Amino acid sequence: KRMKISRDTCIARMLTRRLAATTTRVFSTALIPAAARQLAPVSAALSAENAELMQSIVANPTPMDLISAQATEAELLEWCTTSVGLREDVAAGYVATLVAEGFDSPAAIAMASTDELTRARVRQGHARMMLARASELKPARAAKAKTGLAPPRLFDYPTITANVKVADAIDAVEEAFGKLAQGKVDVPFPMHIGIDETSGAGPGDCHIKGGYVSGAKTFTVKLACVSFYKNLSHGLPPGGGIFVVMSAENGAPLGIMQENRFLTDLRTGAAGAVSVKHLTKPEHNQIGFIGTGAIAKVQARAAAAVRPGFKGFAYAFAGGEEFCAEMEAELGLDFTMCTSAKELCNRSDVVFTQTPGSEIVLDKKWLRPHATIIASGSDQPTKQELPVDVIAGSKYVCDLVKQVARVGELRSAIAAKAMTETDVYAELGEIVNGTKAGRTGNELIVVDLTGTGAQDAAIGQVAWDRLNAL
């Protein structure tokens, strides 16, 4: 039964709590009766019921947890005075009304609006002060919602990009590929939504992927939007996206990350690094990049993590010079801008292709006999970066057979009747696990990366571990 209390009662309870907590922290429990005697004059001024409550609090002090537990009026009053900075008489006037309206903890206040608090007779300026303080609480420790599950933490793009790096993800993605090949990852087939071009929308594409790696603490669902090229004329990036990281223990949403494809690019780069690690020789240190956008930069950073000191080459219709200058400055490596894709292939042991996939970007005659091609531009049935004779004439490795047969480079070779799914040498996870050999000589190797939910699950766990610690 809720009890409405006077201003003096609120202040007395607050002083009781504060003294009890201090006594417990600083002195032995033997001194608690002395603290009770100090409060006797205050107790006498209150009703017998309130005096009994105060004596109980002093005798059985409990630590304050205003974030995760429903607060008493005295605890809420103390938060308003010590954290928000309100005068005690002002705060006392607010407390009873706030509690009566259900705003009985800072976490509950954090979910209110300024208007809702002003309707509870809190002055607008003070309401804003309360909300500012309440917003500083970590939502992971906030009061539980009616469902019994805490609300998810929200992370914006600057926070994510400042705290999660591709080098952090390589080991996790490598492990995810290994478990994928062992059948220990649940990966549904990707969903694709095409946004056709009209006066008010598109063109663009939306990909929805997800997965769970057996034994992990989380699973992830990812939505990535790409190819919204009209955005460029408005000074916006050509897409966006979010990661939703879920608890594998209870199914609760833990984090919602506005990553705008940043984490997607990181997990693609990590897959490229795993490919370099397992399918090239240490002396293969001349690496080319056809296409020099965001993914190419991540691939370069990832390659530097597993093949330090490589010599870089780049080719693109636009932005190549800027790419070379940025990567040289960031990685401390030498990058050369090539005049053609042919020149790049002639000079490279490893060739990364990361283009929109609207046209074939190289020819088999241009390649070194031992070249490793790591292709990540084809992820839809309409895309193709590599000619069929390159795919069919290589040791062909992919991330997931059932996926590349429908949306990867293998799809075009199957359509041309040059290959079947049985012609796939290995999935990347089989190479990682050692059940299939990687590079054994100077053979031509193609690695087809369409992106899997296993990678999304892996980078989601990495990002959650990094960001939740903030």
Side-chain angles (χ1 to χ4, degrees):
K1 180 177 179 182
R2 192 176 302 280
M3 178 179 65
K4 292 194 174 181
I5 57 177
S6 68
R7 168 182 173 277
D8 289 340
T9 304
C10 281
I11 294 173
R13 287 186 180 181
M14 181 199 72
L15 293 172
T16 302
R17 285 279 184 185
R18 189 175 297 172
L19 181 56
T22 304
T23 303
T24 304
R25 287 193 301 268
V26 181
F27 304 105
S28 69
T29 54
L31 295 180
I32 290 178
R37 287 194 296 273
Q38 293 179 32
L39 288 165
V42 180
S43 299
L46 302 173
S47 67
E49 181 179 5
N50 287 344
E52 182 180 352
L53 173 63
M54 275 200 307
Q55 296 292 350
S56 173
I57 290 171
V58 174
N60 301 283
T62 56
M64 289 181 57
D65 186 2
L66 293 179
I67 297 173
S68 61
Q70 188 178 34
T72 66
E73 291 93 335
E75 289 171 334
L76 190 59
L77 178 61
E78 182 168 2
W79 179 76
C80 288
T81 55
T82 59
S83 295
V84 179
L86 300 177
R87 294 201 317 267
E88 290 181 357
D89 59 330
V90 174
Y94 293 152
V95 166
T97 304
L98 286 171
V99 171
E101 294 295 327
F103 301 119
D104 51 6
S105 71
I109 291 172
M111 291 184 280
S113 65
T114 304
D115 289 341
E116 287 174 317
L117 294 181
T118 54
R119 285 197 294 270
R121 299 182 182 178
V122 177
R123 297 173 192 170
Q124 189 175 65
H126 293 168
R128 289 174 178 169
M129 290 167 62
M130 289 181 183
L131 291 173
R133 279 298 182 191
S135 68
E136 296 172 0
L137 304 177
K138 287 189 176 183
R141 296 180 58 201
K144 293 182 179 180
K146 291 182 179 179
T147 61
L149 301 174
R153 296 192 67 185
L154 306 179
F155 301 98
D156 61 14
Y157 183 77
T159 301
I160 296 167
T161 56
N163 291 281
V164 187
K165 306 301 179 185
V166 68
D168 303 330
I170 295 172
D171 289 346
V173 168
E174 182 176 28
E175 180 182 2
F177 275 125
K179 288 193 173 183
L180 180 63
Q182 295 171 346
K184 295 182 179 180
V185 182
D186 189 9
V187 181
F189 198 79
M191 179 189 298
H192 171 252
I193 301 173
I195 293 80
D196 61 311
E197 183 173 7
T198 63
S199 59
D205 296 288
C206 175
H207 304 276
I208 302 170
K209 297 180 180 179
Y212 173 64
V213 179
S214 179
K217 296 179 180 179
T218 67
F219 64 97
T220 296
V221 178
K222 183 273 298 286
L223 183 152
C225 294
V226 299
S227 304
F228 283 78
Y229 294 118
K230 283 184 178 178
N231 288 3
L232 299 176
S233 62
H234 301 290
L236 300 173
I242 60 170
F243 267 56
V244 181
V245 178
M246 308 287 293
S247 168
E249 179 183 2
N250 58 26
L254 298 175
I256 298 176
M257 305 174 185
Q258 185 202 4
E259 47 87 46
N260 293 340
R261 296 173 53 212
F262 176 77
L263 294 179
T264 295
D265 292 348
L266 252 58
R267 56 85 150 147
T268 301
V274 173
S275 302
V276 171
K277 176 180 176 180
H278 289 279
L279 292 161
T280 70
K281 294 181 178 180
E283 60 267 27
H284 292 172
N285 60 359
Q286 294 183 300
I287 301 179
F289 301 86
I290 298 179
T292 55
I295 296 178
K297 294 175 184 177
V298 177
Q299 295 281 25
R301 296 175 185 123
V306 296
R307 187 61 48 80
F310 74 82
K311 162 69 177 174
F313 300 93
Y315 173 73
F317 292 123
E321 295 287 356
E322 293 82 356
F323 169 83
C324 290
E326 182 177 344
M327 292 297 97
E328 282 189 343
E330 179 180 333
L331 302 176
L333 302 175
D334 184 27
F335 277 76
T336 298
M337 179 64 183
C338 296
T339 58
S340 67
K342 179 179 179 180
E343 178 192 352
L344 182 144
C345 291
N346 289 166
R347 303 177 71 175
S348 300
D349 303 307
V350 181
V351 178
F352 282 94
T353 64
Q354 51 279 312
T355 70
S358 56
E359 61 183 42
I360 292 172
V361 298
L362 54 78
D363 190 287
K364 188 176 182 180
K365 297 190 298 289
W366 304 345
L367 297 166
R368 292 182 172 183
H370 62 269
T372 301
I373 304 170
I374 303 171
S376 60
S378 179
D379 56 5
Q380 293 179 41
T382 57
K383 294 183 177 182
Q384 181 182 356
E385 288 186 307
L386 307 181
V388 170
D389 64 337
V390 169
I391 303 167
S394 70
K395 177 187 282 186
Y396 176 83
V397 179
C398 66
D399 49 14
L400 191 60
V401 172
K402 67 178 182 180
Q403 192 165 292
V404 296
R406 294 179 60 178
V407 300
E409 297 293 341
L410 181 61
R411 177 201 58 79
S412 58
I414 291 174
K417 300 187 184 306
M419 292 179 69
T420 66
E421 291 185 21
T422 60
D423 293 317
V424 174
Y425 171 72
E427 289 185 347
L428 186 54
E430 294 178 284
I431 307 293
V432 168
N433 292 336
T435 54
K436 293 282 185 73
R439 177 172 289 280
T440 57
N442 290 323
E443 69 271 35
L444 174 66
I445 295 178
V446 168
V447 186
D448 192 1
L449 302 175
T450 53
T452 70
Q455 294 163 256
D456 294 321
I459 191 66
Q461 180 73 66
V462 169
W464 171 249
D465 289 342
R466 294 276 178 177
L467 299 172
N468 189 47
L470 299 178

